[in-house]
Amino acid sequence: MKKLSKKLLVLLLASIMIFATGCSSKSNADGDKKAKTIKIGMSFQEMNNPYFISMKEAFEDAAKDIGAEVVIADAQHDVSKQINDIDDMIQKKIDILLINPTDSKGAEAAVEAAKKAGVIVVAVDAQAEGPLDSFVGSKNYDAGYLAGKKMAEDLGGKGKVAILDGIPVVPILERVKGFKAAIAENPGIEIVNTQNGKQDRAEAMKVTENMLQANPDLNALFSVNDEGALGSLGAIEASGKDVSIYSVDGHPEAIEAIVKGGVFKATTAQFPRDQVRIALGMALAKLWGAEVVPTEVPIDVKLQTKENAKDFSW
């Protein structure tokens, strides 16, 4: 899928959905929708992260290729701001809302408001509660499980490990759930500490410093995202301890650290560009007449280690 051009992917998905489910009988209305310029809003939970920057770039490119107008907002991990941003988009008469929620439950009011205004709503990367048309996101349980399985293999099934948690959105919860499931298969491994690094590099560094002091015999750490893992990397390297790091995302700096060798052992990579292109394809299919679109579209993830990470990039 990554090899497909952005325009081809978006339009193919929309076309497939329309013809697979049957076009709406309101052909004149559909023709009007196609004729006018489509306005698409995208609300991000944050933009201070290369992961979301790459998603934004892919979104802008795909929208440009179909001649759509875009409205983009950064919630900065503030639920109230995200709700207000989306209200502004609704006032600007958007046709489609792609929402990357900063809080799955907190986003429900924004989803309901958008649907009440007749907007097609698709959640991207993180699930949102409320009457969504579709959700496109990574197989986050698998992401956590693969990282945990690799950690267990590297530890030989024995050791003490910690979890660097994050914000309460479904993907993060699923990653932790998958990680714990992998660790549970190894009774010789004990999870001795769980702290919230808020998926922020500076915060994660401070939290990891505290973890290392509280658990001097720690063997490994799982971070729910690479931005947090990179903060942990700084803390671990400064401490001189041999604590291995496993994470999720595929961040360029994480890939570089893994290839270089050292305590950062692996990350389960996501594909943010594919997620947003597929999400746009689902939304366009619904806008252009598909009676039904999939309620959820899971995107595969891939473990990156020193052996295979060299050629990976978002």
Side-chain angles (χ1 to χ4, degrees):
M1 184 173 293
K2 251 182 132 229
K3 301 290 185 183
L4 288 175
S5 74
K6 53 188 175 293
K7 183 176 181 180
L8 180 60
L9 178 58
V10 169
L11 294 179
L12 271 178
L13 284 166
S15 299
I16 289 169
M17 284 307 306
I18 291 169
F19 287 105
T21 61
C23 293
S24 167
S25 61
K26 298 178 183 178
S27 57
N28 290 336
D30 291 342
D32 291 342
K33 288 178 182 177
K34 291 179 184 180
K36 79 180 187 74
T37 299
I38 299 168
K39 186 176 288 188
I40 308 168
M42 177 136 199
S43 173
F44 288 90
Q45 61 178 261
E46 67 161 315
M47 288 301 304
N48 189 29
N49 186 322
Y51 179 83
F52 293 114
I53 291 171
S54 68
M55 185 179 286
K56 173 178 174 288
E57 290 171 349
F59 166 62
E60 289 176 323
D61 287 347
K64 181 179 179 181
D65 280 344
I66 61 171
E69 180 182 344
V70 301
V71 183
I72 297 172
D74 176 5
Q76 300 172 9
H77 287 300
D78 184 329
V79 176
S80 295
K81 184 178 185 305
Q82 185 160 53
I83 292 171
N84 290 334
D85 288 342
I86 291 172
D87 184 62
D88 289 342
M89 291 178 184
I90 294 169
Q91 298 305 314
K92 291 176 181 177
K93 306 296 184 183
I94 58 171
D95 301 291
I96 291 170
L97 170 64
L98 302 183
I99 178 172
N100 168 237
T102 192
D103 182 286
S104 297
K105 175 63 178 175
E108 184 174 9
V111 173
E112 290 177 344
K115 288 303 297 178
K116 186 176 180 180
V119 177
I120 306 298
V121 183
V122 178
V124 186
D125 182 67
Q127 180 66 279
E129 295 193 17
L132 295 172
D133 289 285
S134 188
F135 164 60
V136 179
S138 296
K139 295 180 179 179
N140 286 288
Y141 179 92
D142 292 357
Y145 182 85
L146 289 171
K149 182 178 179 181
K150 176 62 176 169
M151 178 191 285
E153 290 173 355
D154 290 348
L155 291 176
K158 298 178 181 179
K160 295 183 178 181
V161 306
I163 298 173
L164 186 67
D165 211 337
I167 61 176
V169 289
V170 173
I172 301 303
L173 300 175
E174 285 295 302
R175 291 173 199 177
V176 173
K177 185 178 178 181
F179 172 78
K180 287 182 175 179
I183 296 303
E185 295 172 359
N186 299 269
I189 299 178
E190 180 184 3
I191 299 173
V192 297
N193 203 331
T194 300
Q195 298 291 331
N196 191 340
K198 299 180 181 178
Q199 296 162 245
D200 176 79
R201 194 176 305 205
E203 182 68 19
M205 179 177 284
K206 290 188 293 184
V207 169
T208 303
E209 288 170 350
N210 294 334
M211 282 183 169
L212 295 174
Q213 291 177 2
N215 305 274
D217 53 352
L218 193 68
N219 299 112
L221 179 146
F222 169 68
S223 172
V224 295
N225 80 327
D226 282 347
E227 193 68 25
L230 289 164
S232 294
L233 178 62
I236 291 169
E237 288 181 338
S239 73
K241 293 180 178 291
D242 185 20
V243 179
S244 300
I245 300 171
Y246 301 80
S247 184
V248 177
D249 269 346
H251 190 295
E253 289 183 52
I255 295 296
E256 182 180 351
I258 290 166
V259 172
K260 180 180 176 182
V263 298
F264 207 141
K265 301 297 184 182
T267 184
T268 309
Q270 303 187 84
F271 299 91
R273 295 178 185 272
D274 285 351
Q275 286 186 52
V276 75
R277 290 168 188 159
I278 293 170
L280 182 54
M282 294 298 100
L284 288 172
K286 191 69 180 287
L287 184 70
W288 288 343
E291 298 288 353
V292 179
V293 297
T295 56
E296 187 168 331
V297 183
I299 308 298
D300 286 334
V301 293
K302 185 175 181 180
L303 187 71
Q304 303 295 319
T305 66
K306 188 175 181 179
E307 289 68 38
N308 69 331
K310 184 178 179 180
D311 297 324
F312 177 81
S313 70
W314 286 328

